[in-house]
């Protein structure tokens, strides 16, 4: 039982993902879909960052230097795994770009059809 | 057996394809355009005939154009069987082209350039099938023929043509893609080759049930052979202009169908395997049903071309029956009938078209007394009918004679009965046409007495030619008889 | 000149840099965007061909971007599988670009710079996806091509906006699934390099995490390739997209996604895991059967030519997925060959569609009346493309069907064989219906025995020449299929199958 809750990061990301997925699919308003998409992508980012964490008080992966510039041997165990963080920087950028494109298209749809509700748009198309 | 490697088979096949470009370019000058067709026709005949000496001497000519994968290539092999078929088609193309000039110009038809161009392509495909060395090449040219003949069948571009075109494609493409293609692939996966000179490979690698299924798929899959129930396209295709019906449905398309069946039965399955599994009987039954039913339906048709169509369906199954007999005389008869029926039937179609051009009549009931008006045509019609029925002194008698001997050789008396009764039926549906054309009182005649008005010379000459050949073949059936005998000798390995 | 070892990276770098250049050029003078695009894509194609030659001669190429060794750096791996796909992508993109001139000038002349920038960027994304040997890098390039794709589709306005929006939603789900899958693999192995993963995963085959990773990556690829039943986004997105967009995207996006599936299956997880450890190959072949049959039937029901073609894409994807999961030499060979053949066939059909739209301003079936008379050369080239879809020798389509059917026979998957034949017959009906409309129905009142002269009004050369070249290419491709198989594809099938 305790084991299940030890990996609480997984539960959080699954919950976020499901919320995002639900919003994307079940909601009829385009803006809500976009928000859902954003939540969905954020869930994955959270997941990746969370797996980088290490037990034992590891800190953020920025090497601390003394003012003298003395070189210490870097103890890997003190820093969280930087690779997932780096990957997620890319993913965040991708997410922002996707968000931008989606918003631009939603705006165009609103200009063209006058509404952001999927039902009303489909009705207009059917005519 | 001597095998010569020569590019002649490829050239014979391609020469009419090459003619398509000049034909299309000379569209505005009909005489030049038709000149290209004749040039290509004579060149093709010359090429085909030039291969006669080697083959008659017992040899073969081979040429591989393109190797695809082990056991599959685009390759040609000229043997006696293929040369027989090629000789007939090339000769009759020239005759039909002459006839087409008379017919198309006589009726002032549209799109003549398209007509002559696709005709050339169709003949190219026919020669390709005749000289195919393996099942893949045969399939390739078979499909090419289906596609090339579609614009010809639907030439008139009206609603009727559209519906018939659909029927044509449904039967022909549907069976070739749905039956022949998978059967071919199964054969390839079982034996690793599709070549025709290695018959019987299926024996060692598959069960009897598989062989039977494959054989049925092939026999029914080559729907151009008109075996029932895959015959529906033939009467529908009669909406085409008569020269199309004449060449394609008396000579090229339908003969490609039966030729393919003959080739596959003897070259892929092999006579020994078929005999061992008693599959000859199965095919013979299917063929017999078609012969009898088609002849009966022909009796009820008033449209002359439709009657001829059903007659063709029946006659084609004679050829398949010959193959199914699996005896030397029977198979020789079947192969020979390809030649005899071609000349006889094309005469009949030429006559039907000539009648239409000269009088506009399509139905037999409207042709009472026409013999007075068109004596040459109707005499040719008589000769053609006699050949198809199998009465001497026409070539059709010779092939029927061999078929009858074949049934005796195979101890298949029921098949003998089928042959004889169908001959009677043939007489029953042909003779009335001739009788009413000539022997009627002046009152009954639907035409003015004393007026002789034949179709244009370009129409009459070819039908006279093919009628004379039909008679001539009785007295001198060479080189067809020799080729057929050679072919059967190769097949039975004797 | 540039050293031959650098050609791999040139394939991606040339279009990448050119995209930005084209945008700058566009600000100065719009007319130069088109030639700049052609130059960029031509350069990329030349590099791709050169690299394919190197692979054929010397085997697999490993290129380290920036000289960093894996697993620290990103590695480009060009083996026999993607060498071909790279050439196809660059080639199809170039041909589509050549043919795009008239459509772009007709539909959005003031947005030329943006269009060509996105066009070249999309091609960059596709090329990058194909060439990379790093799982995460693949995600990045996947999103580059996806984003540019969304934008290019949305340029069609009106219904394209709605279809495009839906595509964004679904496409993002797909890409995120893929990313999650990569994440799971990373957690278990600590590596993102594909070759590395291939070594490290076998020890972990029993774990749930690897299984979930595999499922997620597979689902992501399936969403991107519109594999039934995840195909819903495709018809709306492609039908209303501008002609120039669909000519590029329709032949390529789904095929590259199929490539990704093959790459992930064989170069990350390995054939043993995919076919033996996972018990799903029979089930997936049945899904493929459903895709083929469903796609064909939906296509039959369409009155709009372009929409019909999109459903045919769904069916063709079924061919490829089914072929791979047949798990035998013939099937996988057929699937890989079909990636190439289908890309070229689809290009032919969509080029034709662009011409029809350009001439008749519509893409419904009824817009094709009397086209045989008006545009004989175009219709002949289209007929060759149609014959290839039906599967008539010697066009390319016949040969991929040959291998696929043999694979089905070998694996005793008779449903798959039957589906392939059914699809050929349905394609015959579909395309002959079009031939009938083009042949029988008069554009004006001229018909029957009349000799009315219908003027020949062919497509403009910039659209006609690419179409004719592709049609000829289909026949050449067909005749050389077995050469392709023996030189490249044979080595791409994993050993031991």
């Amino acid at each position: 039982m305790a084991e299940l809750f030890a990996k609480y990061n997984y539960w959080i990301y699954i919950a976020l993902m499901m919320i995002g997925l639900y919003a994307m699919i079940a909601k009829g308003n385009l803006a809500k879909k976009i928000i859902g998409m954003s939540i969905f992508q954020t869930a994955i980012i959270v997941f990746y960052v969370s797996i980088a964490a290490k037990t034992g008080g590891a800190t953020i992966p920025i090497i601390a230097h003394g003012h003298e510039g003395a070189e210490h041997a870097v103890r890997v165990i003190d820093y969280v795994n930087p690779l997932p963080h780096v990957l997620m920087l890319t993913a965040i950028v991708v997410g922002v770009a996707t968000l931008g494109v989606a918003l631009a298209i939603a705006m165009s749809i609103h200009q063209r059809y006058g509404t952001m509700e999927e039902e009303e748009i489909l009705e207009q198309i059917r005519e | 057996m001597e095998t010569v490697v020569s590019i002649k088979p490829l050239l014979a096949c391609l020469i009419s394809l090459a003619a398509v470009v000049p034909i299309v370019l000379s569209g505005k000058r009909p005489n030049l355009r038709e000149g290209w067709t004749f040039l290509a026709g004579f060149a093709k005949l010359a090429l085909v005939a030039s291969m006669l000496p080697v083959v008659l001497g017992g040899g073969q000519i081979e040429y591989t154009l393109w190797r695809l994968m082990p056991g599959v290539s685009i390759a040609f092999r000229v043997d006696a069987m293929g040369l027989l078929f090629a000789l007939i088609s090339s000769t009759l193309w020239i005759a039909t082209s002459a006839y087409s000039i008379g017919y198309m110009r006589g009726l002032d038809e549209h799109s003549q350039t398209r007509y002559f161009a696709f005709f050339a392509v169709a003949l190219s495909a026919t020669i390709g099938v005749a000289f195919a060395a393996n099942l893949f090449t045969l399939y390739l040219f078979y499909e090419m023929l289906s596609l090339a003949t579609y614009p010809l069948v639907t030439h008139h571009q009206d609603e009727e043509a559209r519906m018939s075109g659909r029927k044509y494609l449904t039967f022909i493409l549907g069976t070739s893609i749905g039956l022949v293609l998978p059967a071919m692939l199964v054969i390839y996966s079982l034996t690793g080759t599709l070549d025709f000179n290695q018959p019987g490979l299926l024996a060692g690698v598959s069960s009897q049930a598989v062989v039977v299924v494959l054989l049925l798929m092939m026999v029914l899959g080559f729907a151009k052979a008109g075996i029932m129930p895959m015959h529906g396209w033939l009467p529908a295709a009669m909406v085409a202009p008569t020269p199309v019906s004449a060449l394609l449905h008396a000579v090229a398309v339908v003969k490609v169908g039966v030729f393919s069946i003959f080739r596959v039965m003897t070259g892929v399955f092999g006579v020994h395997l078929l005999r061992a599994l008693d599959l000859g009987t199965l095919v013979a039954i299917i063929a017999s049903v078609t012969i009898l039913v088609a002849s009966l339906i022909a009796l009820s048709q008033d449209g002359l071309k439709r009657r001829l169509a059903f007659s063709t369906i029946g006659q084609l199954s004679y050829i398949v029956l010959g193959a199914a007999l699996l005896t030397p005389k029977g198979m020789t008869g079947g192969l020979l009938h390809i030649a005899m029926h071609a000349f006889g039937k094309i005469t009949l179609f030429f006559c039907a078209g000539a009648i239409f051009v000269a009088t506009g009549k399509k139905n037999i009931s409207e042709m009472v007394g026409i013999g007075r008006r068109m004596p040459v045509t109707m005499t040719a019609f008589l000769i053609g009918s006699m050949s198809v029925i199998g009465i001497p002194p026409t070539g059709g008698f010779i092939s029927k004679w061999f078929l009858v001997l074949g049934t005796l050789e195979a101890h298949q008396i029921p098949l003998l009965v089928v042959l004889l009764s169908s001959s009677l039926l043939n007489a029953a549906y042909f003779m009335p046409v001739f009788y009413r054309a000539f022997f009627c009182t002046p009152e009954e005649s639907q035409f003015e007495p004393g007026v002789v008005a034949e179709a244009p010379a370009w129409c009459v000459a070819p039908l006279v030619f093919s009628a004379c050949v039909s008679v001539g073949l009785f007295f001198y059936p060479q080189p067809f008889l020799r080729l057929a005998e050679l072919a059967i000798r190769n097949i039975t390995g004797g | 000149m540039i050293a031959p070892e650098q050609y791999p990276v040139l394939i991606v770098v040339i279009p990448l840099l050119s995209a930005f250049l084209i945008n700058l050029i566009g600000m100065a003078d719009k007319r130069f965007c088109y030639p700049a695009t052609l130059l960029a894509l031509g350069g990329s194609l030349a590099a791709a061909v050169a690299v394919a030659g190197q692979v054929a001669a010397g085997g697999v190429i490993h290129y380290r971007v920036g000289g960093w060794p894996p697993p620290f750096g990103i590695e480009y791996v060009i083996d026999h599988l993607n060498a071909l796909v790279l050439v196809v992508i660059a080639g199809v993109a170039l041909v589509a670009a050549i043919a795009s001139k008239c459509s772009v000038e007709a539909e959005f002349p003031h947005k030329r710079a943006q269009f060509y920038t996105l066009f070249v960027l999309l091609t960059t994304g596709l090329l990058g996806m194909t060439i990379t040997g790093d799982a995460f890098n693949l995600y990045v390039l996947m999103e580059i091509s996806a984003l540019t794709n969304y934008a290019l589709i949305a340029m069609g306005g009106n219904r394209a906006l709605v279809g495009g929006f839906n595509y964004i939603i679904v496409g993002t789900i797909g890409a995120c699934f893929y990313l999650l899958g990569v994440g799971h693999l990373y957690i278990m192995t600590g590596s993102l390099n594909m070759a590395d993963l291939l070594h490290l995963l076998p020890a972990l085959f029993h774990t749930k995490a690897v299984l979930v990773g595999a499922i997620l990556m597979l689902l992501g690829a399936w969403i991107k390739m519109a594999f039934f039943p995840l195909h819903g986004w495709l018809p709306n997105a492609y039908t209303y997209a501008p002609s120039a967009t669909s000519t590029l995207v329709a032949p390529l996006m789904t095929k590259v996604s199929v490539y990704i599936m093959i790459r992930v299956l064989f170069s990350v997880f390995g054939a043993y895991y995919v076919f033996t450890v996972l018990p799903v190959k029979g089930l997936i072949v049945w899904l493929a059967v459903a895709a083929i049959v469903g796609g064909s039937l939906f296509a039959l029901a369409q009155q709009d030519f372009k929409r019909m073609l999109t459903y045919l894409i769904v069916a063709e994807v079924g061919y490829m997925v089914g072929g791979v999961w047949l798990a035998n030499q013939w099937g996988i060979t057929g699937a890989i060959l079909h990636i190439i053949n289908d890309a070229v066939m689809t290009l032919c059909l969509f080029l034709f569609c662009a011409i029809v739209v350009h001439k008749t301003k519509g893409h419904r079936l009824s817009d094709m009346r009397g086209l045989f008379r008006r545009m004989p050369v175009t219709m002949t080239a289209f007929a060759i493309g149609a014959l290839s879809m039906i599967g008539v020798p010697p066009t390319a389509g016949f040969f991929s069907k040959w291998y696929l059917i043999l694979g089905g026979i070998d694996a005793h998957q008779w449903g798959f064989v039957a589906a392939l034949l059914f699809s050929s017959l349905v394609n015959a009906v579909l395309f002959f219906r079009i031939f009938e409309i083009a042949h029988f129905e008069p554009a004006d009142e001229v018909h029957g025995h009349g000799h009315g002269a219908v003027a020949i009004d062919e497509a403009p050369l910039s659209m006609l020449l690419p179409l004719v070249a592709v049609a000829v290419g289909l026949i050449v491709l067909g005749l050389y299929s077995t050469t392709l198989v023996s030189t490249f594809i044979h080595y791409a099938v994993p050993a031991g199958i």
Side-chain angles (χ1 to χ4, degrees):
Chain A
M1 232 7 214
E3 244 177 52
L4 272 176
F5 285 108
K7 307 226 169 158
Y8 59 89
N9 59 332
Y10 287 86
W11 292 112
I12 294 178
Y13 107 77
I14 289 175
L16 279 176
M17 249 182 77
M18 289 304 120
I19 294 174
L21 211 53
Y22 171 73
M24 276 199 273
I25 295 177
K27 289 291 176 190
N29 185 302
L30 297 188
K32 291 187 185 170
K33 283 184 193 268
I34 295 177
I35 296 175
M37 183 174 82
S38 216
I39 296 177
F40 186 71
Q41 286 178 311
T42 311
I44 298 177
I45 295 171
V46 163
F47 166 60
Y48 261 83
V49 170
S50 70
I51 62 171
K54 297 180 190 172
T55 54
T59 180
I60 55 174
I62 298 179
I63 299 182
H65 283 300
H67 282 296
E68 317 81 67
E71 310 270 329
H72 316 273
V74 173
R75 288 186 21 169
V76 174
I77 198 117
D78 286 339
Y79 302 99
V80 298
N81 188 349
L83 183 59
H85 288 248
V86 162
L87 299 180
M88 286 307 103
L89 283 176
T90 313
I92 292 173
V93 169
V94 169
V96 168
T98 314
L99 194 59
V101 174
L103 285 171
I105 294 185
M107 256 179 64
S108 298
I109 292 182
H110 183 72
Q111 263 179 342
R112 167 72 181 78
Y113 291 99
T115 169
M116 291 277 262
E117 292 292 332
E118 201 179 17
E119 313 261 299
E120 294 171 24
I121 298 171
L122 286 176
E123 249 191 70
Q124 283 191 35
I125 287 178
R126 257 175 244 135
E127 280 152 30
Chain B
M1 144 148 17
E2 174 208 348
T3 303
V4 176
V5 176
S6 153
I7 200 176
K8 276 194 207 161
L10 177 66
L11 287 178
C13 171
L14 289 186
I15 192 130
S16 49
L17 265 186
V20 172
V21 176
I23 290 176
V24 171
L25 290 175
S26 8
K28 297 276 187 293
R29 288 137 78 195
N31 290 332
L32 179 59
R33 179 187 65 203
E34 266 70 292
W36 290 115
T37 304
F38 279 114
L39 189 60
F42 280 110
K44 193 190 276 280
L45 182 58
L47 275 167
V48 171
S50 73
M51 295 191 267
L52 259 178
V54 173
V55 175
L56 283 176
Q60 284 181 338
I61 301 179
E62 287 190 346
Y63 186 78
T64 307
L65 174 62
W66 195 273
R67 251 172 262 279
L68 282 159
M69 52 182 111
V72 180
S73 54
I74 303 182
F76 298 100
R77 185 180 303 121
V78 181
D79 59 3
M81 195 157 103
L83 195 57
L84 178 129
F85 183 33
L87 211 48
I88 302 165
S89 341
S90 350
T91 312
L92 288 174
W93 182 29
I94 301 175
T96 313
S97 301
Y99 184 82
S100 301
I101 293 178
Y103 187 89
M104 303 294 269
R105 292 191 191 183
L107 291 174
D108 196 24
E109 282 270 1
H110 67 292
S111 301
Q112 289 190 32
T113 310
R114 183 182 73 201
Y115 170 89
F116 282 106
F118 276 106
F119 229 105
V121 177
L123 257 298
S124 199
T126 310
I127 303 290
V129 169
F131 291 157
N134 56 47
L135 189 50
F136 173 72
T137 312
L138 189 132
Y139 180 77
L140 188 140
F141 285 111
Y142 187 91
E143 295 292 61
M144 188 168 141
L145 185 63
S146 313
L147 297 168
T149 48
Y150 178 76
L152 292 171
V153 169
T154 59
H155 183 87
H156 289 132
Q157 288 177 267
D158 53 20
E159 196 52 32
E160 213 192 342
R162 187 175 179 156
M163 290 301 141
S164 310
R166 267 193 208 172
K167 219 169 177 183
Y168 186 71
L169 282 177
T170 310
F171 274 98
I172 293 195
L173 265 188
T175 50
S176 66
I177 294 180
L179 291 172
V180 176
L181 179 61
M184 173 167 77
L185 284 167
V186 171
I187 292 175
Y188 180 71
S189 79
L190 286 173
T191 64
T193 178
L194 292 173
D195 215 290
F196 285 138
N197 61 0
Q198 293 174 275
L201 283 177
L202 276 173
V205 293
S206 55
S207 67
Q208 178 169 358
V210 171
V211 175
V212 174
V213 170
L214 285 173
L215 181 65
L216 280 176
M217 283 171 88
M218 285 290 183
V219 168
L220 292 174
F222 286 115
K224 289 190 179 122
I227 296 186
M228 291 185 168
M230 303 302 180
H231 68 288
W233 62 272
L234 236 170
M238 291 298 125
V239 301
T242 306
V244 175
S245 311
L247 183 69
L248 268 28
H249 306 121
V251 179
V253 167
V254 295
K255 292 302 182 337
V256 157
V258 287
F259 180 85
S260 306
I261 294 182
F262 213 109
R263 193 53 115 178
V264 167
M265 278 174 74
T266 55
V268 172
F269 291 90
V271 170
H272 299 289
L273 173 62
L274 292 174
R275 231 186 257 155
L277 295 178
D278 199 25
L279 290 174
T281 317
L282 176 62
V283 179
I285 294 176
I286 298 175
S288 310
V289 169
T290 306
I291 294 175
L292 291 172
V293 175
S295 307
L296 285 169
I297 299 182
L299 278 173
S300 72
Q301 297 296 314
D302 188 34
L304 180 55
K305 276 174 77 172
R306 275 186 80 90
R307 186 172 286 200
L308 292 178
F310 280 100
S311 167
T312 303
I313 297 174
Q315 295 294 314
L316 290 172
S317 286
Y318 275 47
I319 300 169
V320 177
L321 183 61
L325 285 171
L326 296 174
T327 65
K329 291 260 179 345
M331 295 200 289
T332 310
L335 272 183
L336 204 53
H337 202 58
I338 293 182
M340 304 306 179
H341 174 252
F343 283 100
K345 210 33 144 323
I346 210 173
T347 312
L348 293 172
F349 272 106
F350 281 164
C351 294
I355 294 174
F356 184 66
V357 172
T359 65
K361 307 279 182 216
K362 291 192 202 174
N363 291 326
I364 298 173
S365 50
E366 296 169 327
M367 294 180 191
V368 184
I370 199 170
R372 300 284 157 75
R373 177 161 165 143
M374 303 176 71
V376 179
T377 305
M378 292 316 288
T379 312
F381 189 92
L382 174 66
I383 297 176
S385 320
M386 285 167 62
S387 187
V388 173
I389 299 171
I391 304 177
T394 59
F397 173 72
I398 309 247
S399 51
K400 288 242 168 118
W401 179 250
F402 271 97
L403 282 172
V404 164
L405 285 183
T407 59
L408 292 173
E409 222 182 5
H411 310 295
Q412 297 275 24
I413 303 300
L415 294 179
L416 176 63
V417 172
V418 167
L419 280 176
L420 294 176
S421 32
S422 70
S423 294
L424 281 172
L425 286 170
N426 294 350
Y429 62 66
F430 274 134
M431 282 304 133
V433 181
F434 177 74
Y435 188 78
R436 276 194 286 176
F438 276 108
F439 301 108
C440 64
T441 61
E443 293 83 46
E444 283 173 343
S445 170
Q446 293 169 322
F447 300 92
E448 274 178 48
V451 175
V452 173
E454 289 278 1
W458 279 106
C459 282
V460 175
L463 58 90
V464 168
F465 165 71
S466 52
C468 291
V469 171
S470 296
V471 173
L473 282 175
F474 174 77
F475 297 104
Y476 189 70
Q478 310 301 357
F480 299 117
L481 181 56
R482 177 105 185 93
L483 284 171
E485 285 174 337
L486 266 175
I488 301 308
R489 205 175 338 137
N490 289 341
I491 291 170
T492 51
Chain C
M1 275 312 297
I2 305 178
E5 303 88 56
Q6 303 300 332
Y7 287 167
V9 80
L10 279 183
I11 299 177
V12 178
V13 161
I14 292 179
L16 180 62
L17 294 178
S18 310
F20 301 112
L21 276 176
I22 289 172
N23 206 4
L24 291 174
I25 292 174
M27 291 197 230
D29 186 343
K30 290 206 189 57
R31 289 169 306 161
F32 290 124
C33 290
Y34 175 68
T37 308
L38 296 187
L39 272 175
L41 293 173
S44 187
L45 177 61
V49 170
V51 168
Q54 288 175 353
V55 170
V60 181
I61 297 180
H62 294 265
Y63 181 89
R64 299 169 175 181
V65 180
W68 291 97
F72 303 111
I74 290 178
E75 189 183 35
Y76 282 175
V77 177
I78 304 121
D79 61 6
H80 295 93
L81 173 61
N82 57 1
L84 272 182
V85 180
L86 284 170
V87 173
V88 168
I89 296 174
V92 168
L94 180 61
V95 173
I98 296 175
S100 67
K101 179 156 177 283
C102 294
S103 310
V104 170
E105 280 168 14
E107 292 175 30
F108 31 78
H110 48 288
K111 287 200 200 158
R112 262 178 287 179
Q114 292 91 318
F115 177 81
Y116 283 117
T117 310
L118 291 171
F119 194 101
V120 175
L121 263 180
L122 205 164
T123 316
T124 314
L126 292 171
L127 289 167
M129 267 201 272
T130 314
I131 204 172
T132 186
D134 181 288
F136 187 79
N137 193 232
L138 201 148
Y139 167 74
V140 175
L141 268 335
M142 189 194 290
E143 287 296 72
I144 291 181
S145 54
L147 287 169
T148 47
N149 200 1
Y150 305 145
L152 280 172
I153 288 177
M155 283 177 101
N158 296 337
R159 291 190 70 168
L161 292 169
V162 181
F165 185 85
N166 195 34
Y167 183 23
I168 294 183
I169 301 291
V170 178
T172 308
I173 298 179
C176 288
F177 275 0
Y178 175 83
L179 181 60
L180 261 179
V182 170
H184 279 93
L185 293 185
Y186 175 73
I187 295 176
M188 298 305 291
T189 62
S191 173
L192 292 168
N193 182 292
M194 289 186 193
D196 215 14
L197 284 170
L198 190 63
H199 274 131
L200 295 170
L201 280 175
L204 300 161
F205 278 164
H206 58 282
T207 58
K208 286 280 185 298
V210 169
L211 178 63
V212 171
I215 294 175
L216 285 170
M217 288 170 93
L218 199 56
L219 275 179
W222 280 355
I223 292 178
K224 284 286 184 183
M225 70 171 78
F227 181 55
F228 185 92
L230 304 164
H231 66 287
W233 58 268
L234 189 131
N236 283 325
Y238 285 7
T239 307
Y240 305 107
S243 308
T245 303
S246 43
T247 319
L248 173 69
V249 166
L252 290 181
M253 277 305 289
T254 45
K255 316 305 169 272
V256 173
S257 306
V258 173
Y259 159 80
I260 293 174
M261 179 185 81
I262 298 180
R263 180 57 88 201
V264 164
L265 287 179
F266 294 150
S267 304
V268 173
F269 290 98
Y272 171 69
Y273 183 68
V274 167
F275 293 140
T276 317
V277 175
L278 291 182
V280 291
K281 60 180 196 258
L283 173 63
I284 295 180
V285 174
W286 279 106
L287 271 180
V289 170
I292 297 173
V293 173
S296 307
L297 288 176
F298 273 115
L300 262 182
Q302 302 305 319
Q303 285 304 318
D304 183 307
F305 175 61
K306 208 166 174 185
R307 221 181 158 83
M308 178 191 103
L309 288 181
T310 61
Y311 280 109
L312 285 180
I313 296 180
V314 173
E316 300 284 328
V317 166
Y319 284 32
M320 292 183 264
V321 175
V324 169
W325 289 89
L326 285 175
N328 56 28
Q329 174 102 18
W330 293 120
I332 299 178
T333 308
I336 298 176
L337 185 61
H338 203 60
I339 292 181
I340 298 153
N341 287 344
D342 192 48
V344 180
M345 288 198 290
T346 313
L347 177 63
C348 182
L349 297 175
F350 274 89
L351 277 173
F352 171 73
C353 190
I355 291 178
V356 171
V357 169
H358 186 69
K359 282 287 173 188
T360 66
K361 305 288 172 258
H363 44 72
R364 298 189 64 80
L365 287 180
S366 45
D367 289 314
M368 308 226 179
R369 294 211 171 122
L371 279 186
F372 265 114
R373 276 215 170 271
R374 276 173 66 194
M375 304 204 276
V377 182
T378 308
M379 287 305 289
T380 313
F382 168 64
I384 297 179
L387 290 179
S388 188
M389 289 292 281
I390 298 173
V392 175
T395 57
F398 174 78
F399 292 100
S400 18
K401 283 212 171 101
W402 174 281
Y403 283 105
L404 287 170
I405 294 182
L406 275 179
I409 295 175
D410 210 25
H412 300 294
Q413 290 280 11
W414 304 109
F416 188 64
V417 173
L420 285 172
L421 294 173
F422 175 74
S423 159
S424 298
L425 292 170
V426 169
N427 286 352
V429 172
L430 286 174
F431 286 105
F432 271 95
R433 205 166 51 176
I434 297 177
F435 292 151
E436 274 187 14
I437 295 177
H439 180 53
F440 290 101
E441 292 187 22
D444 351 273
E445 278 320 296
V446 179
H447 104 110
H449 286 243
H451 294 282
V454 181
I456 292 197
D457 180 24
E458 270 290 357
L461 266 180
S462 70
M463 298 177 97
L464 185 59
L465 285 180
L467 177 63
V468 171
V470 173
V472 171
L474 276 174
I475 300 184
V476 170
L477 203 56
L479 289 174
Y480 278 100
S481 347
T482 40
T483 319
L484 266 180
V485 169
S486 57
T487 321
F488 286 100
I489 302 182
H490 178 76
Y491 302 104
V493 179
I497 297 255

